[in-house]
């Protein structure tokens, strides 16, 4: 049994790779078979992620010693070979990606995957890039998986065509191509002065660099930090995000809800590993903290200014990224566990909200929005033409408006941090930890963080209430036709958040354990370097 279990860390990469390749080779006409293959593969990824989640916590006997599992591909030990590293944080992110991926995939099968070609293969390659980025133990393969998920996201961002979508997608592609070039330059600089790209070995080699080499390393690390900040949607590098996310089709925007958290994850991982050797600016706690506050402020202004739900949702993504950056940059480690809880809840809530938006605005008349602002100013015509076909196949669910109202209300609670759902637990834990911060934490930091969270939540309540009234009090609109394939994923994501709120105690214990393990960099380094030879295939 252990011989089979030790190969689990490679499955989140192999499963979507094989599935995407198989789907590329199969005919687009066999929609039922292709949908079944994609669903089975995504369910398998979720099952593997849950098992890894239990293994990392010791609830299932793991085939590796200690809390951190290291899988050496080809049985080549680190730092010379490629290793995948499974700890609690990586397992959390794998499970989150698979959960969100399954929900958005099911939603897309209602009709959205037919809006263009190669949707299902691109979706699997997107999951492969996400899973690989969370698992990889070296900088070069982080670049590879970043490029893989970005390449897939380019196709997904353009899926469904439409002038607005193509325009926003081209800006998204251009910005990320520049970021990828900076990533490559940064990796080259870091390798040139350290002789390694293995994350664990970097932490050791940086400590013994001379002054000139350390300057070059810091330059490479700064470039790397800029790349991660672009991916995270941090201000002022997030100008591309509202248009790209707002113009994407609903299931694509739903899976995109986790893309910014890949950048946050990478920043956190490198900041912890470089903390003992003096991390450069983008990875330092105080720098991350103020960058997070600025991102919250920019996102909050965008939330208040938004006059369309998709733009509002995009700015809420920015607010959530800023909250995480500020929490991870806060003095000490007391906010890391609650921030991870908040990360999971916000991603699930945001994914559900992107799906709800299209259903809530379906069949709305243009005159409803003309009460507030002209059609030309908002550019609604292209969106209506490309995203609202005349016919919606399938049998409509009963009480569609009641379901939409409840789903919108639940998402509003999740995105603003109001009780009783899981985002309230996460925000309350963040506020409590900030107020009870250790003595070395500046009082100013605690005050700024508390004010930022409360004001951004208030802005979200105001904006969601205003736009919600505009959407749901439109008495002229016909009842929208919703399919079970569309309603089910939204209900499922909200239900996961409900379960997370009822199980807040055990969940928070797991997230706190993940934070404690993450901040003990010596355990990560000690697990990767000596244990790598025993982590691969026998």
């Amino acid at each position: 049994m252990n011989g089979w279990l030790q190969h689990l860390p490679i499955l989140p990469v192999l499963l979507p790779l094989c599935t995407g390749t198989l789907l590329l080779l199969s005919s687009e006409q066999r929609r039922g078979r292709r949908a079944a293959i994609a669903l089975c593969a995504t369910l398998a990824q979720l099952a593997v992620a849950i098992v890894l989640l239990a293994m990392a916590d010791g609830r299932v006997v793991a085939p590796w010693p200690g809390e951190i599992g290291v899988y050496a591909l080809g049985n080549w030990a680190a730092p010379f070979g490629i290793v995948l590293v499974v700890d609690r944080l990586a397992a959390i992110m794998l499970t989150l990606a698979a959960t969100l991926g399954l929900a958005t995939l099911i939603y897309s099968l209602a009709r959205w995957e037919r809006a263009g070609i190669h949707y299902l293969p691109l979706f699997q390659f997107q999951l492969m890039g996400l899973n690989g980025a969370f698992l990889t133990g070296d900088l070069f393969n982080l670049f590879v998986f970043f490029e893989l998920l970005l390449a897939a996201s380019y196709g997904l961002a353009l899926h469904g065509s439409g002038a607005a979508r193509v325009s926003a997608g081209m800006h998204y592609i251009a910005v990320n191509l520049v970021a990828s070039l900076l990533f490559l330059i940064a990796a080259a600089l870091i390798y040139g002065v350290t002789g390694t790209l293995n994350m664990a070995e970097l932490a050791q080699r940086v400590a013994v660099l001379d002054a000139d080499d350390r300057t070059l390393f810091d330059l490479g690390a700064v470039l790397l930090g800029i790349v991660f900040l672009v991916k995270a949607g941090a201000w002022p590098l997030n100008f591309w995000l509202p248009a790209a996310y707002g113009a994407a089709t609903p299931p694509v925007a739903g899976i995109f809800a986790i893309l910014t958290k890949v950048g946050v994850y990478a920043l956190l991982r490198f900041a912890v590993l470089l903390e003992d050797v003096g991390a450069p600016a983008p990875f330092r706690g105080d720098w991350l903290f103020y960058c997070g506050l600025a991102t919250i402020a920019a996102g909050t202004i965008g939330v208040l200014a938004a006059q369309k739900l998709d733009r509002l949702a995009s700015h809420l993504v920015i607010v959530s990224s800023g909250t995480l950056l500020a929490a991870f940059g806060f003095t000490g480690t007391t906010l890391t566990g609650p921030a991870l809880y908040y990360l999971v809840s916000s991603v699930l809530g945001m994914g559900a909200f992107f799906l709800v938006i299209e259903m809530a605005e379906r069949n709305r008349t243009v005159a409803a929005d003309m009460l507030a602002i002209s059609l030309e100013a908002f550019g609604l015509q292209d969106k209506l033409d490309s995203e609202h076909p005349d016919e919606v196949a399938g049998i409509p669910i009963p009480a569609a408006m009641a379901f939409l109202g409840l789903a919108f209300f639940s998402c509003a609670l999740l995105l603003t941090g109001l009780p009783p759902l899981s985002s309230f637990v996460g925000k309350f834990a963040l506020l409590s930890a900030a107020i009870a911060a250790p003595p070395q934490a500046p009082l100013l930091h605690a005050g700024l963080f508390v004010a930022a969270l409360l004001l951004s939540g208030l802005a979200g309540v105001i904006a969601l209430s205003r736009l919600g009234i505009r959407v749901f009090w439109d008495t002229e609109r016909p009842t929208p036709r919703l399919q079970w394939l569309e309603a089910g994923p939204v209900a499922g994501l909200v239900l996961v958040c409900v379960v997370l709120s009822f199980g807040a105690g055990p969940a928070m214990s797991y997230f706190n354990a993940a934070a404690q393990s993450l901040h003990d960099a010596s355990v990560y380094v000690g697990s990767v370097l000596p244990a790598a030879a025993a982590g691969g295939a026998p």
Side-chain angles (χ1 to χ4, degrees), residues 278-375:
F283 300 103
R284 283 205 307 265
D286 56 346
W287 204 96
L288 274 180
F289 178 76
Y290 286 108
C291 179
L293 289 183
T295 304
I296 294 174
T300 300
I301 294 172
V303 165
L304 290 173
Q307 297 295 327
K308 293 170 59 182
L309 284 175
D310 51 11
R311 299 286 290 194
L312 171 61
S314 301
H315 286 290
L316 287 171
V317 171
I318 294 174
V319 171
S320 68
S321 290
T323 301
L324 291 169
L325 292 175
F328 292 141
F330 198 87
T331 303
T333 62
T334 55
L335 267 66
T336 305
L340 293 177
Y341 184 100
Y342 170 82
L343 183 155
V344 172
S345 178
S346 65
V347 167
L348 294 175
M350 191 60 64
F353 190 55
F354 275 116
L355 303 183
V356 168
I357 289 172
E358 191 275 331
M359 293 190 292
E361 293 190 327
R362 188 177 297 170
N363 296 338
R364 289 191 67 215
T365 61
V366 174
D369 282 332
M370 291 289 286
L371 295 174
I373 196 165
S374 69
L375 175 65

Side-chain angles (χ1 to χ4, degrees), residues 6-90:
Q6 70 175 340
H7 296 288
L8 280 182
I10 193 63
L11 290 183
V13 176
L14 280 182
L15 280 171
L17 172 62
C18 296
T19 305
T21 304
L22 180 61
L23 291 172
L24 277 176
L25 297 175
S26 64
S27 171
E28 289 276 348
Q29 304 302 320
R30 300 181 178 272
R31 298 191 181 277
R33 181 180 300 178
R34 288 163 57 85
I37 292 173
L39 278 174
C40 290
T42 310
L43 279 169
Q45 292 173 56
L46 178 58
V48 170
I50 292 173
V51 174
L52 290 175
L53 195 74
M55 283 183 175
D57 197 42
R59 299 178 185 274
V60 173
V61 178
W64 54 73
E67 296 180 348
I68 298 179
V70 180
Y71 186 89
L73 276 72
N75 208 25
W76 282 86
F80 307 107
I82 298 172
V83 294
L84 302 178
V85 185
V86 181
D87 61 359
R88 288 186 179 89
L89 177 58

Side-chain angles (χ1 to χ4, degrees), residues 85-424:
V85 185
V86 181
D87 61 359
R88 288 186 179 89
L89 177 58
I92 289 170
M93 299 305 293
L94 287 174
T95 307
L96 178 60
T99 302
L100 185 63
L102 180 62
T104 52
L105 175 62
I106 294 173
Y107 184 95
S108 66
L109 295 178
R111 60 188 174 118
W112 291 104
E113 63 94 7
R114 299 192 295 275
I117 62 172
H118 300 318
Y119 175 86
L120 294 179
L122 287 172
F123 194 91
Q124 291 299 316
F125 292 139
Q126 177 86 87
L127 291 177
M128 178 188 172
L130 287 169
N131 295 340
F134 297 139
L135 285 171
T136 186
D138 67 274
L139 189 58
F140 177 76
N141 282 287
L142 181 61
F143 170 77
V144 171
F145 286 118
F146 261 54
E147 291 309 296
L148 180 61
L149 72 90
L150 285 173
S153 73
Y154 299 156
L156 292 174
L158 297 173
H159 182 77
S161 69
R165 187 166 297 134
V166 171
S167 175
M170 295 307 293
H171 283 91
Y172 170 72
I173 293 171
V175 169
N176 280 282
L177 285 177
V178 173
S180 297
L181 176 61
L182 292 179
F183 198 148
L184 199 57
I185 295 171
L189 279 172
I190 292 172
Y191 182 76
V193 296
T194 63
T196 185
L197 291 175
N198 182 274
M199 296 181 193
E201 194 179 25
L202 275 176
Q204 295 180 334
R205 295 205 178 184
V206 173
V208 297
L209 293 178
D210 58 36
D212 292 338
D213 286 343
R214 181 57 195 260
T215 300
L216 286 174
F217 172 82
D218 286 347
L219 177 59
V222 167
L223 292 177
L224 192 64
I226 292 173
V227 173
F228 294 157
L229 289 171
V230 171
K231 311 296 186 189
W235 183 86
L237 303 173
N238 54 15
F239 57 90
W240 54 271
L241 191 150
Y245 281 42
T249 59
V252 171
I255 193 63
F256 276 13
I258 197 174
L259 292 192
T260 54
K261 307 311 178 282
V262 181
V264 174
Y265 169 87
L267 281 165
L268 179 61
R269 182 72 80 182
F270 271 86
V272 170
L273 288 175
L274 298 178
E275 184 176 8
D276 292 337
V277 295
F283 300 103
R284 283 205 307 265
D286 56 346
W287 204 96
L288 274 180
F289 178 76
Y290 286 108
C291 179
L293 289 183
T295 304
I296 294 174
T300 300
I301 294 172
V303 165
L304 290 173
Q307 297 295 327
K308 293 170 59 182
L309 284 175
D310 51 11
R311 299 286 290 194
L312 171 61
S314 301
H315 286 290
L316 287 171
V317 171
I318 294 174
V319 171
S320 68
S321 290
T323 301
L324 291 169
L325 292 175
F328 292 141
F330 198 87
T331 303
T333 62
T334 55
L335 267 66
T336 305
L340 293 177
Y341 184 100
Y342 170 82
L343 183 155
V344 172
S345 178
S346 65
V347 167
L348 294 175
M350 191 60 64
F353 190 55
F354 275 116
L355 303 183
V356 168
I357 289 172
E358 191 275 331
M359 293 190 292
E361 293 190 327
R362 188 177 297 170
N363 296 338
R364 289 191 67 215
T365 61
V366 174
D369 282 332
M370 291 289 286
L371 295 174
I373 196 165
S374 69
L375 175 65
E376 180 179 354
F378 272 100
L380 289 178
Q381 192 59 54
D382 283 341
K383 189 173 182 68
L384 288 171
D385 291 342
S386 62
E387 293 193 4
H388 297 285
D390 293 333
E391 294 185 9
V392 178
I395 301 174
I397 67 171
M401 285 304 295
F403 170 79
L404 282 177
L406 182 60
F408 185 91
F409 180 70
S410 300
C411 290
L413 295 180
L414 287 169
L415 299 178
T416 57
L418 295 178
L421 297 182
S422 54
S423 283
F424 169 74

